[in-house]
Amino acid sequence: MWARRRARRGGHSAEELRVRRREREAALRRARRQQQLVSKRLLREDSAAQEGTQDGGDVVPDPLSEDEVLELLRGVQRGSEDRRRWLGRLRWALQNEDTQQKFVRLDGSIRTLTGLFTSSLAELQLEAARCLHELSHSSVPAVAEACLPVTSYLLTYLSGHSLELTELCLYTLGNLVVESEAVRKQLLPQGIIPVLASCIQSPHEAVLEGVGYVLSQLLQAKEAPTEIIPLVLDSALPQHMLQLVCSGLKAAMGAAVEFAWCLHYIICRHKDNELLLALGAVPALTSLLLDLAAQIPPEAPEGLELLVCPVLRCLSNLLAQTDCHGPDRRLLIALFLILQCFLQQHPFLIHECLWLLNNLTADDPSCCSALLSLDLLPALLQLLTCSQMGTVLVLTVLCNVAEKGQFQCQQLLQQPLLAQLLPLLTLPDPEAVGQCLELLHLLFLHCPEAAAEFTRQGGHQALEQHQGTPELQERAQALLDMVRQPPGAPSACQATLAASS
Amino acid sequence: MRPARLALPAMLPLPPRLRLLLREGLPPLPQAPPSPPASLPTPPFTFTPRRLQLGPQHPLLEDGDVHRHLYLQGVLTSLEEVAERPKVSEFSCHISGCSQVFDTLEGYEHHYNTLHRNVCSFCKRSFPSGNLLDIHILEWHDSLFQIMAEKQNMYQCLVEGCTEKFRSSKDRKDHLVTVHLYPADFRFDRPKKVKSGSKHTNSPVEQGSSVPMDVSVEMAEQSQGNAMETGPEESMEISQPAASPGPSLPEKRLYKSRSVLWPQGKRGWDHSSFSALCSMAWAALC
């Protein structure tokens, strides 16, 4: 069975797997910072993976010598009875990156594969497609570029009816496009966007997921904002993408995940998302989140976070790009239910949730009031110390609420807010401390009694320690002036309030 | 005062009945005094509420991006379970003239879709897609086509989404190579050949016709003494029968199968091996 290669437990202890995952994660973070975050997917037949290994698919065959690779090529070219076996051996050997490079350097190697791939001999065709797929997984750009002559054929078979072949072609294309700009530059005039636009109407989930994979890979290219996104937006793809994302809870979850990431890559890199807004992306994604939150079991199903994450991002960015007034307040409830559900397993989603919460509350007083009246504040305050970035985001949301006026500030102060803010002032992160100072200022401004309470709790000492921090000292000093006002005297904050009104 | 430590709560203190509210709608908001008009922050304070728009490289997105790529790389465990492909007892293709044997439904599906799905009912050629089959039927078997083609551009581009039409298949090929960056050795066109192998069930339309092109290119063609293309650049036709050491085809073959998009090989390439392969495969198929 063809399946995406999954981590296998066979032969590895849980600890080994954890170590490996940590290493991979560190490598991905490094790559992201260098703007070289690239991944490929591998479809591999389980039986093939097991052929040469006892402990699953992680063992890569040893590199072959030039002569051995040549022998394989000759074997494949020779019209002997066991050609299919030769091709199978070639495919197995091509899992090795070194062998891949030797193979593509051989004269006629890609031509031979292309020939078999375009043949009508069903079995050989599939096997050749699998060889090409192995090559597409190489991280060496020269290997991807050796596959340039085959891209037009890969596209042609996307319109075919063989599910397995179509899937292989899709994942091969998706792998090739991230490796080489030359491949992308060739695929665009070869018509990859219209082909994908017709493939996206396929009834097969596996094909849809593959289409989403190719698109998501294309959309991450550095030239995407100028070269690719306009073509995608100009095609029939956006409406289908949106529709597939929104039906992800009912069917084709894998496809929904891919297309949700596609939408994210478009929205976060494109300045003007009017087309998606006109297609109703905001209400559609909103209702997806509402449905999801209403149905979500206490233990979220594995993989759901991969859909939720880009959907939250899309909504946040779209809300930031539009003057959309009065967002659906039920989103607040959905956000907290989602937070609750993913908190332990996938804490990274907290950032996306808080980002959206900020965009909902920033200039919508009714969302701020709803946050308070729905009694969601205690839960929000629990997240004050979830992570460095989370702290800043929660403080920002609280600022959004406090900024709305005295009534909101009073409601905030009904919680033990000051007691929770105090320890935050000792955080080493100046951004978090700075945001904390901003919040205190808003609270003291609208509720002078809070300043007195803050002093009682020993707040001025916490402020004093920031008098020497360049980016904080002015604000710390201003707050100290506010809290040092003797009770009953007209406070500085009342003066500023009077001045601002 | 305790210094703040980063910590993740196990549970959020959420009020009950949130889910119910989601389904039944929110209660009306309590009457709040109207908010004062937004004022600019007083220096040194700087906070103004704003909706944040984040670009692809924003640090907030790092964790989620890493998670996405761990998923793509298959590092996340227990994702999808591999479904076992059900084995079935051996069966053969039901298309008359084809006796390929299968032990999985998938194998049969692939075979059927490759060889029997987009088959021209006139000349039994097989095409990789419905679109290419449509173009083939139009250009080869529609008697009006030739008449029309003399008056207007009728050869449509093979690339999906491109609406260009051309006066001749050669113009189309030039267009495909220059505009769509198809490989220059891409064989779109072939002179329509007279089948010398009388064993083939060629349609009468095809026989002796001088229609100059074919969007299809043969792959497994085994016709004996077939003229094929004669141009030097076409010498690598893998199905050159002359080089075929394979057995002659059985009489009962009812269809030919070809690939539309067969790349043309170089001179000196071992095509006899391909012919042998084809013969072998055909022996199995027929």
Side-chain angles (χ1 to χ4, degrees), chain A residues 77 111 115 118 156 162 189, chain B residues 19 110 180 259 261-262 264 273:
Chain A
Q77 288 173 336
R111 185 176 300 278
T118 52
T156 300
S162 168
Chain B
R19 231 168 265 243
H110 176 68
H180 297 296
S259 159
L261 306 166
W262 176 248
Q264 167 196 320
S273 60

Side-chain angles (χ1 to χ4, degrees), chain B residues 24-268:
Chain B
E24 294 181 352
L26 300 189
L29 284 176
Q31 277 300 312
S35 299
S39 55
L40 289 174
T42 350
F45 296 96
T46 56
F47 175 79
T48 38
R50 58 194 181 92
R51 297 180 182 179
L52 298 172
Q53 186 174 344
L54 305 185
Q57 285 300 315
H58 194 280
L60 189 148
L61 307 181
E62 179 174 314
D63 288 353
D65 284 352
V66 167
H67 190 78
R68 156 79 176 159
H69 281 264
L70 287 172
Y71 165 68
L72 286 180
Q73 298 186 3
V75 183
L76 301 183
T77 46
S78 66
L79 277 177
E80 57 241 90
E81 288 304 316
V82 177
E84 279 296 308
R85 171 181 293 179
K87 284 267 176 191
V88 289
S89 51
E90 286 202 346
F91 62 98
S92 51
C93 181
H94 70 279
I95 302 286
S96 77
C98 179
S99 54
Q100 177 84 315
V101 178
F102 307 91
D103 61 357
T104 64
L105 286 173
E106 286 80 1
Y108 169 68
E109 265 175 34
H110 176 68
H111 161 89
Y112 179 86
N113 287 323
T114 308
L115 285 164
H116 306 309
R117 177 128 186 169
N118 296 304
V119 174
C120 173
S121 56
F122 298 101
C123 63
K124 309 297 177 203
R125 289 179 190 183
S126 165
F127 295 86
S129 74
N131 183 38
L132 292 171
L133 172 63
D134 290 345
I135 294 177
H136 162 84
I137 292 175
L138 180 70
E139 295 178 9
W140 278 65
H141 305 298
D142 187 330
S143 42
L144 266 180
F145 181 86
Q146 281 310 307
I147 302 165
M148 304 272 285
E150 282 165 22
K151 300 198 180 90
Q152 51 181 295
N153 293 349
M154 287 292 286
Y155 290 88
Q156 62 195 78
C157 180
L158 304 181
V159 172
E160 210 162 330
C162 178
T163 52
E164 294 255 358
K165 291 188 173 179
F166 303 90
R167 205 174 48 81
S168 69
S169 60
K170 170 152 190 330
D171 289 355
R172 168 169 63 196
K173 175 175 176 170
D174 292 344
H175 164 82
L176 281 163
V177 172
T178 54
V179 176
H180 297 296
L181 304 185
Y182 270 50
D185 61 358
F186 194 83
R187 301 194 327 186
F188 323 97
D189 310 337
R190 56 186 304 129
K192 195 156 190 182
K193 56 195 151 287
V194 179
K195 300 291 173 198
S196 54
S198 57
K199 293 160 187 163
H200 302 299
T201 56
N202 290 325
S203 77
V205 182
E206 193 183 356
Q207 288 286 358
S209 156
S210 59
V211 180
M213 66 79 54
D214 179 359
V215 293
S216 79
V217 175
E218 295 187 24
M219 157 62 194
E221 179 80 43
Q222 291 298 303
S223 50
Q224 309 294 309
N226 191 339
M228 293 286 189
E229 293 84 3
T230 49
E233 80 281 13
E234 300 284 6
S235 64
M236 267 320 299
E237 180 80 34
I238 48 93
S239 47
Q240 282 290 348
S244 171
S248 59
L249 281 176
E251 299 280 327
K252 66 175 177 177
R253 190 169 64 129
L254 291 178
Y255 63 88
K256 291 176 299 161
S257 178
R258 6 181 144 194
S259 159
V260 171
L261 306 166
W262 176 248
Q264 167 196 320
K266 276 185 191 154
R267 262 179 199 290

